[in-house]
């Protein structure tokens, strides 16, 4: 059955974004972060498209997210590592060990792994001191990772983390080193090491002026449920926050905050019918949104409109981060690749 709302996903833009980030990564390989179900787009469909374009290294958060991609024939690294409850040794799936306890858990398997080293985030990772003390001796490490704290800002912390990470080259059995996320790639090839790990920029996020050229991938679209006339002086939606200044036509759309189109778009969001921009009127409801449609007399029940969703502008408008705008998109949307 076709849902009354869908995510219009631009597969060419996704691949073009990866190729741009791959070029920006210089001699380093370019991987892809596909955690949180590919930032809400659908991890399998994203990974298939990027693998076909040449991407070989994928990053997810949990073991379950990793197992879901194990049959794709690409390397999947699990950023949260391995818990006592996780089964070791899935083909193509390896942990990014993030603590001494995880290292102790993995060492007896003799299997290949990645390791996260903390260089300032104080979130996940072993310390440089633990590495100097021999914690990683005897591990078969494919990639040593660290993660930038302020890559989307011009902060002295970036160079400090880069230098701290570079000093670990040759100190472990790791074949490769990886530091940069999307914004880190834009800081220059000093930050690329051997492998980069973009996420948000693949999906249209712009976190740095160096990301000019990144294309929008995701556009939520909703079907019109009904068109109605609202008389001058009447109000639209919960709490009567919009009053019609004249007789107007309104279209009610099959999308709402339960889909991740949150209440911050009330009275401020925009939709598009072809090239015509249409305002969201009044409160966003759980399952419905009203837009003003006087500019499109032919628009009616069953027609589709696109919600304005360019990530940088929509983030500025809503106060939500570009990451939240994607990962909050709900399960009711059909995800349709074009
Ligand atoms: C999410 C994540 C990435 C990707 O970050 P973006 O900012 O989306 O490019 C890279 N590395 C790690 C460790 C992450 O958690």
């Amino acid at each position: 059955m076709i849902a009354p709302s869908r995510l219009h996903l631009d597969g060419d833009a996704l691949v073009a974004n990866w190729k741009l980030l791959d070029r920006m990564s210089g001699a380093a390989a370019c991987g892809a972060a596909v955690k949180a179900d590919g930032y809400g787009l659908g991890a399998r469909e994203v990974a298939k498209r990027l693998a076909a374009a040449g991407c070989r290294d994928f990053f997810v958060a949990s073991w379950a997210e990793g197992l879901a991609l194990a049959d794709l024939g690409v390397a999947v690294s699990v950023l949260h590592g391995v818990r006592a409850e996780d089964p070791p040794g899935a083909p193509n799936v390896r942990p990014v060990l993030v603590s001494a306890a995880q290292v102790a858990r993995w060492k007896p398997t003799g299997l290949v792994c990645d390791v996260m080293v903390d260089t300032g985030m104080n979130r996940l990772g072993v310390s440089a001191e633990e590495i100097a003390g021999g914690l990683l001796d005897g591990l078969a490490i494919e990639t040593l990772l660290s993660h930038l704290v302020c890559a989307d800002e011009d902060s002295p912390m970036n160079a400090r983390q880069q230098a701290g990470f570079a000093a670990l080259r040759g100190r472990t059995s790791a074949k490769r080193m990886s530091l940069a996320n999307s914004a880190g790639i834009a800081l220059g090839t000093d930050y690329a090491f051997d492998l980069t790990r973009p996420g948000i920029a693949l999906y249209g996020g712009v976190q740095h002026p160096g990301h000019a050229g990144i294309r929008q991938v995701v556009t939520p679209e909703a079907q019109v449920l009904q068109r109605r006339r609202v008389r001058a002086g009447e109000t639209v939606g919960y709490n009567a926050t919009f009053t019609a200044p004249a007789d107007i036509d309104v279209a009610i759309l099959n999308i709402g905050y339960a889909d991740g189109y949150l209440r911050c778009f009330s009275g401020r969001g925009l939709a598009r019918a072809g090239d015509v921009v249409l305002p969201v009127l009044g409160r966003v409801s759980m399952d419905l949104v009203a837009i003003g449609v006087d500019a499109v007399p032919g628009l009616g029940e069953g027609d589709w409109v696109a919600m304005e969703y360019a990530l940088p502008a929509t983030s500025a408008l809503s106060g939500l981060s570009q990451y939240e705008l994607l990962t909050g998109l709900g399960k009711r949307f059909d995800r349709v690749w074009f």
Side-chain angles (χ1 to χ4, degrees):
M1 213 167 65
I2 296 171
S5 60
R6 65 191 178 203
L7 299 183
H8 179 117
L9 302 171
D10 185 338
D12 289 342
L14 174 76
V15 168
N17 290 343
W18 181 78
K19 287 184 173 167
L20 173 61
L21 293 159
D22 186 38
R23 283 197 300 280
M24 289 172 70
S25 300
C30 185
V34 294
K35 59 198 185 187
D37 203 20
Y39 289 46
L41 284 68
R44 279 186 76 80
E45 290 302 315
V46 167
K48 277 193 226 162
R49 282 170 173 76
L50 296 182
C55 183
R56 288 294 165 265
D57 299 275
F58 292 84
F59 297 87
V60 296
S62 70
W63 205 256
E65 288 182 342
L67 292 181
L69 303 178
D71 61 325
L72 294 183
V74 293
V76 182
S77 294
V78 177
L79 290 164
H80 295 188
V82 62
R83 301 173 303 162
E85 297 93 324
D86 295 326
N92 304 322
V93 182
R94 60 176 184 257
V96 181
L97 304 177
V98 299
S99 66
Q102 290 198 351
V103 169
R105 184 171 299 133
W106 195 254
K107 240 181 217 179
T109 71
L111 297 169
V112 71
C113 62
D114 298 332
V115 174
M116 175 68 71
V117 56
D118 182 63
T119 55
M121 181 77 95
N122 278 302
R123 193 175 66 172
L124 296 175
V126 304
S127 68
E129 292 70 34
E130 286 175 309
I131 292 176
L135 176 69
L136 306 182
D137 295 357
L139 274 181
I141 305 174
E142 173 63 30
T143 309
L144 187 70
L145 290 78
S146 194
H147 196 40
L148 293 165
V149 173
C150 311
D152 56 343
E153 294 178 88
D154 183 15
S155 160
M157 190 127 190
N158 292 324
R160 275 210 302 280
Q161 286 191 277
Q162 195 277 349
F165 191 54
L168 295 170
R169 168 104 52 210
R171 301 292 171 86
T172 71
S173 66
K175 294 185 190 145
R176 300 189 297 179
M177 299 190 45
S178 174
L179 177 63
N181 62 351
S182 299
I185 291 170
L187 296 177
T189 48
D190 283 354
Y191 288 80
F193 290 87
D194 306 307
L195 171 65
T196 59
R197 317 184 298 269
I200 191 74
L202 294 170
Y203 312 114
V206 176
Q207 291 290 318
H208 190 281
H211 288 158
I214 290 291
R215 288 164 55 183
Q216 182 172 345
V217 177
V218 182
T219 306
E221 297 178 339
Q223 216 175 12
V224 175
L225 188 53
Q226 66 172 229
R227 183 180 179 116
R228 57 191 299 129
R229 191 87 176 142
V230 178
R231 298 290 172 196
E234 292 184 351
T235 64
V236 174
Y238 282 119
N239 304 110
T241 59
F242 173 81
T243 304
D247 291 358
I248 59 169
D249 273 7
V250 167
I252 309 301
L253 306 181
N254 274 288
I255 187 173
Y257 62 77
D259 300 299
Y261 195 76
L262 299 184
R263 297 223 310 176
C264 51
F265 291 108
S266 299
R268 334 183 53 183
L270 298 170
R272 234 175 238 280
D275 290 337
V276 184
V277 177
L278 307 167
V280 169
L281 303 180
R283 284 276 158 84
V284 173
S285 302
M286 184 185 294
D287 315 304
L288 299 168
V289 166
I291 58 172
V293 291
D294 284 333
V296 277
L299 190 82
E301 181 183 345
D303 292 336
W304 289 84
V305 301
M307 307 315 289
E308 186 70 43
Y309 221 67
L311 292 177
T314 307
S315 172
L317 176 86
S318 64
L320 299 169
S321 76
Q322 297 180 47
Y323 300 83
E324 291 168 306
L325 286 170
L326 291 182
T327 58
L329 292 169
K331 296 212 188 310
R332 290 196 296 204
F333 291 107
D334 283 340
R335 283 154 167 83
V336 187
W337 290 88
F338 290 87

